Amino acid sequence: MSTNTAQTIEDLLLADQLISEHQYEEIKNEKLRSDKSTKEIILENQYIDETQFAMEESKLQGIPFVDPLGLSILPETVQSIPEEMARKYTIIPIERNENTIDIAMADPGDLLIIQFLERSLKLKVKPYASTKNSILGAIDREYSKSLGKDVNKAIEQATETSTKKMTESLQNIDQAKQIIKVSPVAQIVSVILEYAVKSGASDIHIEPFETGTRIRYRIDGVLQEKFPLPKEIHNSVVARIKILANMPIDERRKPLDGKFRVIFGESRTDLRVSTLPTVFGEKVVIRLLKDQKTVFTLKGLGIWGNAHSIFNKALRQTTGIILVTGPTGSGKTVTLATALYKVNSVKVNIITLEDPVEINIPGVNQVQINIKADLTFANGLRSILRQDPNIIMVGEIRDGETARLAIQAALTGHLVLATLHTNSAAGAIPRLTDMGIESFFLASTINAVLAQRLVRKVCENCKEAYDPDPEIKADIKRVLGDKLIKVGLSHNPFEDTDTDDEPITTPKNQESPTKEIDLNNIKLYKGKGCDKCNQTGFKGRIGIYEVLEVDEQIQKLAEQNVATDEIEKSAIDKGMITLVQDGYLKSLWGITTIGEVHTVADE
């Protein structure tokens, strides 16, 4: 048990045996060598995690520690401080009384913020220590709760003024636009979009039916219904979205496309809008493309172990083709963008052809396909070859002409990355053969093929272990075999010792899930459901992968035009882990569930 007589945080950490004598000396030396704070040094070296540090710091300062994510906070308490201010200063109110307000703060020692809040709120502030991540998570959760009320209030106003009739009766389109812009409908649309951004949705579906309008959000790959709207305001909501996307509001008979950008707080999001006439009105789908500020790593995506080594080896080549396969929405674009981030430098010229450009990559020349201007994948690829490229990324190989040009680029000394729609890595070679590409060209140019799917991750906040049924255990043993089960039970995937320089995000002192390997004592994990995951038990997504290395043996099979099954069998015999096996391993590691794996990658 420590006391608060320690003079510095590192003294307290040492006294509480959270750091070693060696780490203590390293902290002291680093503070002398650099201008970094003790907190920066400790967290960068991952001696302890952010929560442990905050708890120790609160003990040193004599300030109580709290985790706002574990609290039930009244809406009126949350509304004491505007969301923009809460995010700016990383604070959140957790309880309010007549004369005082309790506030969780990432920096509870900041007297200027405390004094500012006391003057603004005219209340005595009682600070609580917390972590930045916990406060931001609570801000996301608590401020989103008020969105439903905002929608209902706006719906009442919009229905009262009957904006549908008002819009349809106006002969002047410009006048209609102006009225819609200042009407409650604009507030409804703003709230619909804001909820999508805050909840991390990838798509919004606005669907008209006979009795009303359904609003659905695709979150972590699954559609969830929110905010039903009355039938009377559907046309006005669609018109408002069309105005924002610079689309004609008087054209309702044919499909339309548009785009615009929204900014909520510090989040900038590009939106792609698509409308489709249905029997009850126009259906609208909005795709959200967030600014890609976070630079992913291959390991962060979920490419681990042998697959990671093979994919890295292929990226280090200066010629050849790397194919990324999978259905629409399986994360191929993010994988390619991550690969380009990895190989990007001032020494190489990288040019991409995409439809559309979804992730902006600094230092990379990205070209948007434009069919109206005759800028197709094939024509664009011909032009790119005259631009002295080192690395070319083709958003999708859709036809034999594009495939042939990609092969030609690889044969003439370029590294080509491309996507292809196949169900497995082994199916890519026969697919290209079906497009008319000669097998000997494929054998000599393809370096590796990566197939992928996205699965939902078990929510870390409510995750619990359980003993699977005997049938599930038998299925795991059938799919993985004893050898891979042992890997799943004993191997920490973040501890791979290959030649990749990417940062590893797992704490250095994290141990493997299980020390004693007992094939009969297999544990799986599930989420109970909590506020953080919207009671689904899942939060976020991760990829499952199989990577086929095109070595001499696979090259020979490709030249012989063998079937997909033969190529896959040969690759598995040489150690390739399949999509399903990778998903099962991630289930043993507590990252996803067996059910999720079967949903996206059933055998």
Side-chain angles (χ1 to χ4, degrees):
M1 189 76 178
S2 69
T3 65
N4 288 2
T5 56
Q7 293 184 348
T8 64
I9 184 66
E10 57 264 39
D11 291 334
L12 181 58
L13 293 173
L14 182 62
D16 282 353
Q17 298 182 346
L18 290 174
I19 60 173
S20 65
E21 291 277 2
H22 175 71
Q23 290 170 334
Y24 178 82
E25 292 300 326
E26 282 293 312
I27 294 168
K28 291 287 189 183
N29 293 334
E30 181 65 22
K31 286 173 72 174
L32 292 174
R33 290 194 301 263
S34 69
D35 57 356
K36 292 180 182 178
S37 66
T38 303
K39 182 177 182 178
E40 288 174 325
I41 296 167
I42 289 172
L43 296 184
E44 282 179 8
N45 287 282
Q46 299 174 345
Y47 293 147
I48 61 173
D49 62 30
E50 185 187 16
T51 301
Q52 287 176 307
F53 186 91
M55 292 175 73
E56 289 295 296
E57 193 172 41
S58 72
K59 190 188 301 184
L60 187 68
Q61 297 172 339
I63 298 173
F65 177 85
V66 69
D67 179 3
L69 279 173
L71 301 177
S72 178
I73 309 174
L74 294 174
E76 51 267 32
T77 300
V78 175
Q79 296 305 318
S80 300
I81 295 176
E83 182 182 359
E84 188 175 349
M85 183 188 296
R87 290 189 182 278
K88 181 177 180 180
Y89 298 115
T90 321
I91 57 176
I92 187 168
I94 54 177
E95 189 171 346
R96 177 171 179 165
N97 299 312
E98 187 175 344
N99 300 314
T100 64
I101 185 167
D102 298 347
I103 296 182
M105 307 176 65
D107 184 5
D110 193 329
L111 297 178
L112 289 177
I113 293 179
I114 293 173
Q115 291 170 1
F116 169 73
L117 290 172
E118 288 182 336
R119 287 198 304 269
S120 302
L121 302 174
K122 294 181 172 51
L123 293 170
K124 180 69 176 176
V125 170
K126 183 179 179 181
Y128 283 77
S130 190
T131 66
K132 179 180 179 180
N133 287 337
S134 182
I135 292 173
L136 292 177
I139 288 172
D140 288 339
R141 183 188 71 189
E142 297 300 333
Y143 285 93
S144 294
K145 289 179 180 178
S146 65
L147 294 178
K149 296 179 181 178
D150 292 343
V151 169
N152 292 332
K153 184 178 178 182
I155 287 172
E156 290 175 10
Q157 297 175 26
T159 307
E160 287 171 8
T161 56
S162 190
T163 55
K164 173 178 178 288
K165 294 179 181 178
M166 177 175 60
T167 302
E168 291 180 342
S169 66
L170 288 169
Q171 300 298 317
N172 187 318
I173 296 298
D174 290 334
Q175 187 180 357
K177 288 181 179 180
Q178 187 59 34
I179 291 177
I180 291 171
K181 184 177 179 180
V182 298
S183 75
V185 171
Q187 184 183 352
I188 293 174
V189 172
S190 178
V191 172
I192 289 171
L193 298 177
E194 185 177 357
Y195 183 86
V197 171
K198 290 184 175 181
S199 63
S202 60
D203 300 88
I204 309 169
H205 291 242
I206 302 174
E207 303 163 301
F209 293 101
E210 188 173 9
T211 57
T213 295
R214 181 171 69 180
I215 308 292
R216 292 192 293 173
Y217 296 87
R218 189 175 294 280
I219 302 172
D220 294 335
V222 178
L223 285 170
Q224 301 177 15
E225 185 173 355
K226 303 281 183 183
F227 312 142
L229 301 179
K231 178 183 179 182
E232 291 78 17
I233 65 171
H234 177 80
N235 286 347
S236 294
V237 169
V238 174
R240 171 62 177 161
I241 293 170
K242 284 183 169 182
I243 291 168
L244 292 170
N246 198 26
M247 300 157 68
I249 65 172
D250 54 340
E251 178 55 79
R252 300 178 183 174
R253 298 166 299 169
K254 62 183 181 181
L256 299 170
D257 293 297
K259 60 183 179 180
F260 63 102
R261 171 175 286 185
V262 294
I263 301 174
F264 293 111
E266 296 181 358
S267 177
R268 297 161 62 91
T269 305
D270 288 321
L271 306 175
R272 289 211 320 266
V273 181
S274 172
T275 66
L276 183 71
T278 72
V279 291
F280 295 115
E282 288 179 284
K283 171 180 166 62
V284 180
V285 174
I286 304 173
R287 168 65 57 88
L288 285 81
L289 306 172
K290 290 187 178 181
D291 271 7
Q292 199 66 49
K293 292 180 180 178
T294 303
V295 178
F296 293 103
T297 64
L298 297 178
K299 285 181 181 175
L301 296 179
I303 307 175
W304 300 336
N306 194 43
H308 185 262
S309 300
I310 294 170
F311 196 67
N312 262 323
K313 178 182 175 183
L315 284 175
R316 287 194 290 267
Q317 305 300 312
T318 57
T319 63
I321 296 178
I322 299 173
L323 294 173
V324 177
T325 74
T328 301
S330 60
K332 299 188 297 295
T333 301
V334 175
T335 299
L336 284 174
T338 303
L340 292 181
Y341 269 116
K342 184 174 176 59
V343 298
N344 189 20
S345 77
V346 294
K347 297 179 181 179
V348 294
N349 178 23
I350 303 176
I351 307 179
T352 73
L353 274 174
E354 303 172 70
D355 184 22
V357 175
E358 294 187 16
I359 299 175
N360 293 319
I361 308 171
V364 172
N365 304 285
Q366 296 176 269
V367 179
Q368 170 87 45
I369 294 300
N370 187 341
I371 303 299
K372 292 180 181 178
D374 200 29
L375 179 52
T376 62
F377 279 110
N379 291 341
L381 198 44
R382 288 191 187 92
S383 299
I384 282 176
L385 290 172
R386 295 191 289 270
Q387 290 284 317
D388 186 32
N390 299 100
I391 299 171
I392 300 168
M393 193 270 271
V394 181
E396 185 182 346
I397 294 179
R398 296 176 178 173
D399 51 51
E401 185 181 12
T402 306
R404 195 172 298 280
L405 287 166
I407 295 286
Q408 179 187 335
L411 288 171
T412 53
H414 305 89
L415 180 64
V416 180
L417 285 73
T419 71
L420 190 68
H421 282 281
T422 61
N423 291 328
S424 65
I429 295 175
R431 175 80 178 94
L432 290 171
T433 303
D434 291 343
M435 287 184 178
I437 306 300
E438 292 80 0
S439 56
F440 59 86
F441 279 141
L442 298 177
S444 59
T445 55
I446 297 178
N447 298 338
V449 185
L450 179 146
Q452 69 177 87
R453 304 288 190 276
L454 289 177
V455 292
R456 290 184 294 172
K457 295 166 64 177
V458 176
C459 175
E460 290 293 334
N461 192 54
C462 61
K463 181 165 72 173
E464 62 180 7
Y466 70 95
D467 293 315
D469 295 334
E471 302 82 39
I472 299 295
K473 288 184 179 180
D475 182 52
I476 291 172
K477 291 181 180 180
R478 177 186 65 83
V479 172
L480 296 180
D482 290 354
K483 184 178 178 181
L484 283 181
I485 289 176
K486 288 181 180 179
V487 170
L489 293 176
S490 65
H491 175 60
N492 183 345
F494 286 96
E495 292 176 352
D496 297 326
T497 54
D498 54 29
T499 55
D500 189 11
D501 293 327
E502 294 171 342
I504 297 176
T505 57
T506 298
K508 292 180 180 178
N509 58 0
Q510 177 175 318
E511 297 179 345
S512 299
T514 307
K515 288 183 178 179
E516 297 294 331
I517 299 174
D518 181 1
L519 301 184
N520 296 314
N521 188 27
I522 294 172
K523 295 283 187 184
L524 293 178
Y525 301 82
K526 62 182 178 181
K528 292 184 292 184
C530 63
D531 287 343
K532 198 169 183 180
C533 62
N534 202 19
Q535 306 302 325
T536 63
F538 296 97
K539 184 71 174 176
R541 288 193 288 177
I542 195 170
I544 59 174
Y545 302 87
E546 64 182 26
V547 179
L548 171 70
E549 182 178 18
V550 183
D551 55 16
E552 290 184 11
Q553 187 172 337
I554 300 296
Q555 286 177 351
K556 290 177 182 177
L557 293 174
E559 289 175 358
Q560 296 167 14
N561 286 328
V562 301
T564 299
D565 291 345
E566 286 190 56
I567 296 175
E568 185 168 270
K569 182 179 182 305
S570 175
I572 292 172
D573 290 342
K574 295 198 68 176
M576 183 183 80
I577 293 177
T578 66
L579 280 168
V580 174
Q581 287 176 332
D582 189 42
Y584 272 44
L585 287 172
K586 287 184 169 77
S587 298
L588 291 179
W589 290 322
I591 295 168
T592 188
T593 66
I594 297 289
E596 273 295 295
V597 176
H598 281 295
T599 299
V600 302
D602 222 335
E603 293 173 295

